[in-house]
Amino acid sequence: MRLSVRRGRSPLYALTLAVAVGSAALLAGCGGDDDGDGDGGTPASKYSAEIRRTAMGVPHIKAADWGGAGYGYGYAQAQDDLCTIANSMLTFRGERARFFGADAVVPFQGTIGQPKNIDSDFYHRHVLNDEVMQRFVAAQPDKLKQMVAGFAAGYNRYVRDIKAGADSTAHAACRNEAWVVPVTDTDIFRRMYAAHFAAGYSNFVAQIANATAPAAASPTMASAARVKVAAATAAAAGKSRAAPRSRDGAPHPLTIATAHLPDFQVGGNDGVGSNMIGFGTAATGDASPLLFGNPHWYWRGPDRFYQAHLTVPGELNVAGASFLAQPIVLIGYNDNLAWSHTVSAARRYGLFQLTLSPGDPTSYQRDGAAVKMTARAITVQVKQGDGSVAPVSRTLYESQYGPIVNLGALNPALGWNTSTAFAIRDINGENFRVFRVWMRWSQAKTLEEFQTIQREESAIPWVNTVAVARGANQVWYADIGAMPNVSAAQLSSCATPLTTALSAALPRTPVLDGSKSSCDWQSDPDSKQPGALGPARMPSLLRDDYVLNSNDSYWLANTAAPLTGFPDILGPAGTSSISFRTRLAHLLAQGRLAGTDGYAGNKATSETVRALVLNSRTLTSELFRDQAVAMFCAPPTSITVNSDPATGETFSPARNVDPTEACAVLQAWDGKALLASRGAHLWDEFWTRAARIPEATLYAVPFSSADPLHTPRDLNPAVKTTLQQAFGAAIVRVQASGFAMNATRGETLFATRGSEKIPLFGGCGQPQGYYTVACALSRLDQGGYDLNTATSANSYLQVVRFPAGDVEAYTFLTFSQSDDAASAHYSDYTRAYSAGQWQKVPFSEADIAKDTAFSTKTISE
């Protein structure tokens, strides 16, 4: 085992670390893994990598082969984020309850939400079971297997190092915990496979984990049960899904039973999103297109991004970001291509109503014949109150469609009873091609090759794509991936009273009768897996001006070329209004090309794009601030507030609020959420409440598909009293918070790092319509908007172009590279982001070597 360290470390440190590593290797017996060199001398290294670090701690990992690249990447991620990764591996292995107890919740916001440990354990043991993992791993390319094996070895190398005493001040929060242990290749693959389900199974964790079979009933009891189900069905019919909740966590005043339904979108109730724009050469004015990409994503936990650069000379040279404990760049760029993603509006899952066999609730009818469910007996070890560990067992079941899911919290008729059960099918359960796409993209050379790969694999799991390439005038948008194929005829012929009620609660989600094979998802002639749409029926667009997406459907990738005629499951196309953030995205792009946005010229240069995407405009203030102020700031100067529409709290006695100061603040506000903007929090609190008024009531001019960027618009004078109540409640919230009415955005919105509060800018994309997204779950009156709680905030940002002979990339990783408070990279990137200091990331070998923060470390074993 060899180690070299240079720059930033003393010779004594290097010697001490080398001794510690050598001791750990002997204890672990890792020498037996080395391949001999054939001459009886020093064994050849199985893995070797050079980890070069540049500004903000970004690792540039160089290795002679894919295994070595994975090895360096695993080691680097562990160096920076050991505690998060080790803790999260318990999640994917289904071992959380063993160490933290049954009822504690997963500590990080992520694509599975924050379920109880016991439910998380049973879900992951069930959905990521050994049989499916064997199939998934077997389907992967050899080079990916090599990279994953190297990643696990690199991570384990760091675990051995730190357990042996290396980096003595690092990762104090977890280094001595019993759950910080080595991982296997399968552990890494399990973590990768789990990410497939963000738009499907991951939103039903507790409902899958608690879907245990009812006791078998006698024929008489079964008949009675069917009567009860019929009654419950009638009660369920006609109900619709509740409106989304705000960061207050309070339900909409019109919440009904369907509020208990799992949220079908990525990120659960609050949702997550992203922005991306590709500018063609007609917009940039030179030979290079330009890409802006910015997922609004989690700031903590395993689903947060990690920035890196991976090089295998002659085979791979790609930079960008991946999730923690994943060795593949998911959003990024290589020598010739750059791409980004946003969460797609398309549905990736569906539900099937199963008619159960009389007397056997674990068998269901299909075309008149009984089909036995697959039983999976699972035992989870659970930490008890006295510190001991005891087993808890459940038997969970799977149909040919997918896992059984218990939706009884929505309505008793939707639970698993003796006559009916529901199964959930996620198209990505059988989609083993996902990482092959990103591997191939990381090596692609032209935009045409990029498009061909996307169509050939049709595997992207739940996101849209925008890509640009060297030498290409046009830019590419596509929502081409794994999607269910359900015909309009099936939606009609395969409906039952229960599926009809449930479909009303889950728009565009196929809910079908599972007793008939004719209701199975269909396969197109060019489908890449059974039951999937073929790429010929998925939307894409090439333009030389711009394409974009901000989480609305494919319909308006460019307003000059609406995309229509695609299956309903992909999302609405002109039938409903688009979000304020999407509207603002188009206005930003079009304002740039028209030269009307206040910046120099009319070209999408890197400098200008980097400025406009951080300018913290909010479309709701631009459209409605003056109208609202005119409504509720004219005399009388007192507002009587009876309740808070955001929380449902009633005030007894009613609050009498003087709006004079608040009105003056809004009138003086610059309408943005820059660090120094005063009053943005007041507008946000008001609009959070105003947006709860139904669209048809709130606006005077309704949505028109002929003018989607300017409708709906104008506040309806008929809702003046309701808006006054919303404004009064917003004032009450600000007063309760302790923040001044004219506090700056940087005072109210921040990221905490220890005792430090780093001021930040931006706001919520929904409902306020900020394009610069920074949306915290914490309430203003609970200490302010702390982005450590964020599920939807700017995360990894990149602006990439391809000047002749070069790759020009400016980036941010807003929350910084490391989870370790002792790391130099715990908050440095966050402070740079606060200051608006984009980082120009070196890509060539020469630029990496001359970076002022350059350091290098070679590891091998």
Side-chain angles (χ1 to χ4, degrees):
M1 183 175 291
R2 294 186 294 276
L3 176 97
S4 65
V5 180
R6 110 179 126 84
R7 283 198 60 172
R9 300 293 193 188
S10 69
L12 178 59
Y13 173 88
L15 177 61
T16 302
L17 184 55
V19 170
V21 170
S23 299
L26 289 173
L27 289 172
C30 68
D33 292 334
D34 288 339
D35 296 324
D37 62 2
D39 61 3
T42 304
S45 297
K46 183 174 182 179
Y47 296 114
S48 181
E50 183 184 6
I51 304 171
R52 293 85 53 84
R53 299 266 188 174
T54 58
M56 304 300 155
V58 175
H60 303 256
I61 296 151
K62 186 176 181 180
D65 52 42
W66 290 72
Y71 182 68
Y73 200 15
Y75 189 93
Q77 283 204 9
Q79 273 187 308
D80 290 329
D81 294 285
L82 176 67
C83 294
T84 298
I85 297 174
N87 188 294
S88 301
M89 283 300 165
L90 299 177
T91 302
F92 303 122
R93 285 196 298 257
E95 295 179 348
R96 298 204 60 80
R98 174 184 173 187
F99 293 95
F100 304 117
D103 293 332
V105 300
V106 174
F108 310 115
Q109 281 282 349
T111 56
I112 62 169
Q114 289 183 284
K116 290 182 177 180
N117 288 334
I118 191 74
D119 291 339
S120 173
D121 286 352
F122 278 110
Y123 165 84
H124 285 98
R125 294 279 186 94
H126 188 35
V127 172
L128 310 183
N129 60 79
D130 291 343
E131 294 85 357
V132 75
M133 290 312 306
Q134 289 173 5
R135 293 171 50 220
F136 176 71
V137 173
Q140 304 311 307
D142 286 343
K143 288 180 179 177
L144 179 58
K145 293 177 184 177
Q146 294 163 19
M147 182 169 274
V148 167
F151 188 96
Y155 175 88
N156 293 343
R157 161 69 182 280
Y158 187 77
V159 170
R160 293 196 304 269
D161 288 357
I162 203 166
K163 291 290 187 181
D167 290 352
S168 60
T169 62
H171 305 293
C174 72
R175 63 183 296 146
N176 295 319
E177 296 292 340
W179 43 267
V180 179
V181 296
V183 298
T184 66
D185 302 7
T186 302
D187 287 334
I188 302 302
F189 275 121
R190 184 175 279 112
R191 186 273 173 275
M192 295 168 69
Y193 185 59
H196 284 35
F197 304 123
Y201 292 155
S202 291
N203 297 290
F204 295 82
V205 170
Q207 291 73 23
I208 291 173
N210 290 285
T212 54
S218 67
T220 301
M221 293 174 62
S223 177
R226 282 191 289 273
V227 171
K228 290 182 179 180
V229 168
T233 300
K239 290 190 174 181
S240 60
R241 192 171 187 278
R245 302 182 180 208
S246 73
R247 61 177 157 221
D248 294 279
H252 187 282
L254 300 180
T255 294
I256 55 177
T258 48
H260 300 294
L261 189 69
D263 290 278
F264 52 78
Q265 62 185 345
V266 179
N269 214 1
D270 296 278
V272 295
S274 306
N275 292 327
M276 59 184 178
I277 309 176
F279 290 101
T281 56
T284 63
D286 59 21
S288 176
L290 179 146
L291 175 75
F292 165 65
N294 176 18
H296 306 144
W297 204 242
Y298 306 96
W299 274 39
R300 298 176 66 238
D303 293 325
R304 81 179 202 167
F305 286 109
Y306 184 89
Q307 185 176 355
H309 179 187
L310 305 175
T311 301
V312 178
E315 290 195 61
L316 178 70
N317 194 26
V318 63
S322 60
F323 297 154
L324 288 179
Q326 287 201 16
I328 293 291
V329 170
L330 305 178
I331 291 176
Y333 52 94
N334 64 20
D335 298 270
N336 300 291
L337 284 156
W339 70 92
S340 194
H341 297 300
T342 61
V343 173
S344 166
R347 296 288 179 262
R348 259 62 181 202
Y349 78 96
L351 295 161
F352 290 86
Q353 181 184 345
L354 305 182
T355 301
L356 303 181
S357 301
D360 184 1
T362 62
S363 292
Y364 57 95
Q365 297 292 306
R366 180 174 162 88
D367 295 336
V371 179
K372 193 69 177 174
M373 296 177 187
T374 299
R376 185 167 290 114
I378 302 171
T379 298
V380 168
Q381 300 299 320
V382 179
K383 184 178 182 180
Q384 307 299 302
D386 62 2
S388 64
V389 175
V392 174
S393 298
R394 294 178 191 171
T395 299
L396 301 178
Y397 290 84
E398 195 168 52
S399 70
Q400 67 194 81
Y401 306 105
I404 305 302
V405 58
N406 191 337
L407 301 176
L410 169 64
N411 187 285
L414 303 178
W416 188 354
N417 53 59
T418 55
S419 62
T420 303
F422 277 86
I424 183 171
R425 182 179 179 186
D426 189 319
I427 191 68
N428 288 300
E430 305 95 41
N431 176 11
F432 298 160
R433 309 175 307 282
V434 173
F435 294 99
R436 198 161 66 210
V437 177
W438 282 305
M439 279 189 70
R440 294 180 65 188
W441 278 351
S442 70
Q443 299 172 283
K445 295 180 174 58
T446 66
L447 190 61
E448 291 77 12
E449 184 182 0
F450 187 96
Q451 297 168 53
T452 297
I453 292 166
Q454 189 163 12
R455 290 192 176 103
E456 285 180 350
E457 302 289 358
S458 294
I460 292 300
W462 35 265
V463 289
N464 303 279
T465 304
V466 163
V468 308
R470 187 188 303 277
N473 296 327
Q474 295 180 306
V475 289
W476 165 256
Y477 162 82
D479 195 0
I480 295 177
M483 300 181 201
N485 183 13
V486 180
S487 69
Q490 284 180 302
L491 292 174
S492 175
S493 64
C494 296
T496 72
L498 275 181
T499 63
T500 299
L502 192 50
S503 294
L506 294 172
R508 295 183 294 103
T509 299
V511 187
L512 308 174
D513 184 351
S515 70
K516 300 182 291 187
S517 60
S518 59
C519 298
D520 292 351
W521 295 351
Q522 305 296 296
S523 297
D524 279 338
D526 57 343
S527 294
K528 306 306 177 181
Q529 68 185 74
L533 281 171
R537 292 208 294 146
M538 299 184 210
S540 62
L541 184 65
L542 282 167
R543 297 281 300 186
D544 65 2
D545 52 356
Y546 79 89
V547 294
L548 64 77
N549 186 269
S550 288
N551 305 119
D552 277 296
S553 79
Y554 61 88
W555 176 45
L556 292 182
N558 184 297
T559 55
L563 296 166
T564 59
F566 295 95
D568 184 65
I569 200 168
L570 273 73
T575 57
S576 59
S577 61
I578 59 178
S579 73
F580 288 114
R581 178 161 55 88
T582 293
R583 289 167 66 174
L584 183 54
H586 284 287
L587 294 173
L588 288 172
Q590 294 174 7
R592 176 81 301 261
L593 303 189
T596 58
D597 57 4
Y599 297 100
N602 65 345
K603 299 302 180 185
T605 66
S606 175
E607 181 180 14
T608 304
V609 170
R610 282 182 275 129
L612 70 86
V613 298
L614 297 185
N615 68 10
S616 298
R617 287 173 59 184
T618 170
L619 189 58
T620 57
S621 75
E622 295 177 14
L623 294 176
F624 307 123
R625 191 254 305 256
D626 291 345
Q627 295 177 23
V629 167
M631 277 189 181
F632 48 62
C633 288
T637 57
S638 179
I639 300 173
T640 300
V641 184
N642 298 300
S643 63
D644 188 336
T647 63
E649 177 186 5
T650 58
F651 301 134
S652 183
R655 306 282 181 87
N656 291 315
V657 175
D658 183 348
T660 303
E661 181 187 7
C663 289
V665 168
L666 282 189
Q667 288 169 330
W669 176 41
D670 63 9
K672 297 182 179 182
L674 300 168
L675 288 180
S677 297
R678 294 185 178 275
H681 61 302
L682 176 61
W683 178 260
D684 292 354
E685 293 295 335
F686 162 66
W687 194 258
T688 293
R689 292 155 175 81
R692 294 173 178 276
I693 302 171
E695 182 178 302
T697 303
L698 180 59
Y699 304 115
V701 179
F703 168 73
S704 168
S705 60
D707 190 14
L709 299 191
H710 303 99
T711 58
R713 68 172 181 268
D714 297 339
L715 295 177
N716 185 352
V719 298
K720 175 179 178 179
T721 301
T722 306
L723 287 173
Q724 283 180 324
Q725 285 285 304
F727 188 50
I731 294 172
V732 170
R733 171 63 59 83
V734 175
Q735 290 173 338
S737 73
F739 289 102
M741 207 68 67
N742 69 339
T744 65
R745 177 53 113 203
E747 292 174 297
T748 61
L749 178 72
F750 48 83
T752 54
R753 293 292 183 271
S755 60
E756 180 185 12
K757 286 186 176 181
I758 301 173
L760 291 169
F761 47 85
C764 293
Q766 185 68 18
Q768 284 83 6
Y770 288 97
Y771 190 74
T772 307
V773 172
C775 197
L777 292 179
S778 60
R779 285 172 31 165
L780 183 69
D781 60 343
Q782 294 172 339
Y785 306 138
D786 186 346
L787 283 186
N788 280 5
T789 68
T791 59
S792 185
N794 286 4
S795 58
Y796 170 71
L797 291 76
Q798 60 178 22
V799 174
V800 185
R801 57 188 294 271
F802 299 99
D806 196 9
V807 176
E808 182 186 282
Y810 287 88
T811 70
F812 281 118
L813 192 69
T814 57
F815 37 73
S816 300
Q817 285 279 86
S818 179
D819 67 3
D820 181 15
S823 170
H825 306 301
Y826 180 57
S827 58
D828 54 346
Y829 229 149
T830 309
R831 287 191 295 270
Y833 177 65
S834 172
Q837 296 171 349
W838 287 84
Q839 300 299 300
K840 187 176 183 182
V841 180
F843 191 76
S844 71
E845 289 294 310
D847 286 344
I848 292 168
K850 68 184 182 184
D851 189 276
T852 56
F854 176 82
S855 67
T856 184
K857 176 177 185 174
T858 298
I859 55 172
S860 60
E861 66 178 71

